[in-house]
Amino acid sequence: GDSVTQMEGPVTLSEEAFLTINCTYTATGYPSLFWYVQYPGEGLQLLLKATKADDKGSNKGFEATYRKETTSFHLEKGSVQVSDSAVYFCALTGGGGSQGNLIFGKGTKLSVKP
Amino acid sequence: KAGVTQTPRYLIKTRGQQVTLSCSPISGHRSVSWYQQTPGQGLQFLFEYFSETQRNKGNFPGRFSGRQFSNSRSEMNVSTLELGDSALYLCASSLATGNTNYGYTFGSGTRLTVV
């Protein structure tokens, strides 16, 4: 079945460092891809999305490009801040023909030190 | 604009009891999905509702059920609670019209502890 694989965390970076969180997927058809972020004690927030191959999603300095040839959707940010410390989830729309069945990766915890 | 509201935020129940969780989606959103989040299994899809109809269901036992009302509010019910049902239950809503994928907005969740 469809699945998402994220790099294992935790990831610890210094402020202003470059961030990459790898995400690869296995899916039939053409899923939409998402990155969600979860801050401590809160629900998930949609960070960015891409709905077709070669689309680039971007938000708050974060970017990810839908690469069908490598089945990847890596998250990048050029200069992280302490406030970016959170857990990041890569996800895709699952089967069943609906958008509401999201399949998530295990999450990657990011800690940014001042 | 109000976000997705889940009530209650925290709940403690005893094994064997049943529980009902509530979700009010963003105004205008007709699609509601539910997820269970645990440290071991991560985020797992429970079910999705659109216009009061269940469109999709995850791989959970029949003890887990849900419904959606005409105002798009949704409830999920877990009967005969087990210790393993302790989790954060997240509700998410979306416009989900036609073929446009708007993504889902999540609530803050209900933390259920079964003792």
Side-chain angles (χ1 to χ4, degrees):
Chain A
D2 296 356
S3 65
V4 174
T5 302
Q6 288 182 236
M7 61 187 289
E8 295 282 333
V11 174
T12 303
L13 296 173
S14 297
E15 206 165 24
E16 298 184 3
F18 184 85
L19 168 71
T20 300
I21 300 178
N22 290 336
C23 171
T24 56
Y25 68 90
T26 301
T28 53
Y30 304 94
S32 295
L33 302 174
F34 304 86
W35 278 100
Y36 281 87
V37 58
Q38 187 174 33
Y39 298 98
E42 298 184 15
L44 279 71
Q45 296 179 23
L46 177 63
L47 184 58
L48 53 83
K49 67 182 175 79
T51 57
K52 60 183 187 296
D54 300 325
D55 266 2
K56 177 187 281 189
S58 61
N59 185 26
K60 299 180 182 179
F62 291 90
E63 292 183 341
T65 301
Y66 190 147
R67 302 285 188 199
K68 189 161 170 45
E69 63 276 12
T70 54
T71 62
S72 64
F73 193 55
H74 305 321
L75 182 68
E76 296 182 336
K77 186 175 185 183
S79 176
V80 294
Q81 306 300 311
V82 172
S83 57
D84 294 326
S85 297
V87 180
Y88 292 81
F89 293 91
C90 184
L92 59 78
T93 43
S98 67
Q99 301 174 12
N101 173 10
L102 291 171
I103 295 172
F104 287 88
K106 294 289 188 186
T108 302
K109 184 175 182 180
L110 170 67
S111 295
V112 180
K113 307 297 184 186
Chain B
K1 188 175 184 181
V4 178
T5 304
Q6 291 187 248
T7 56
R9 283 299 306 274
Y10 302 93
L11 207 47
I12 300 175
K13 289 288 188 178
T14 304
R15 266 183 307 175
Q17 287 185 314
Q18 75 164 19
V19 66
T20 299
L21 311 182
S22 179
C23 172
S24 293
I26 291 172
S27 178
H29 285 193
R30 294 163 63 192
S31 176
V32 173
S33 291
W34 289 87
Y35 294 83
Q36 181 195 65
Q37 186 177 26
T38 59
Q41 299 299 317
L43 283 151
Q44 294 184 284
F45 170 73
L46 280 157
F47 19 67
E48 178 198 7
Y49 288 89
F50 182 82
S51 293
E52 303 178 66
T53 300
Q54 186 179 87
R55 282 208 297 201
N56 216 336
K57 189 177 191 303
N59 189 24
F60 278 82
R63 301 185 296 107
F64 291 81
S65 63
R67 58 178 177 169
Q68 187 180 34
F69 302 95
S70 58
N71 62 358
S72 294
R73 192 177 69 85
S74 178
E75 289 181 347
M76 67 163 282
N77 184 278
V78 188
S79 62
T80 319
L81 284 165
E82 300 176 359
L83 294 179
D85 297 333
S86 296
L88 180 67
Y89 289 88
L90 293 165
C91 169
S93 74
S94 174
L95 278 172
T97 58
N99 293 321
T100 303
N101 194 324
Y102 296 96
Y104 275 74
T105 301
F106 282 76
S108 297
T110 294
R111 172 75 62 186
L112 172 65
T113 301
V114 182
V115 297

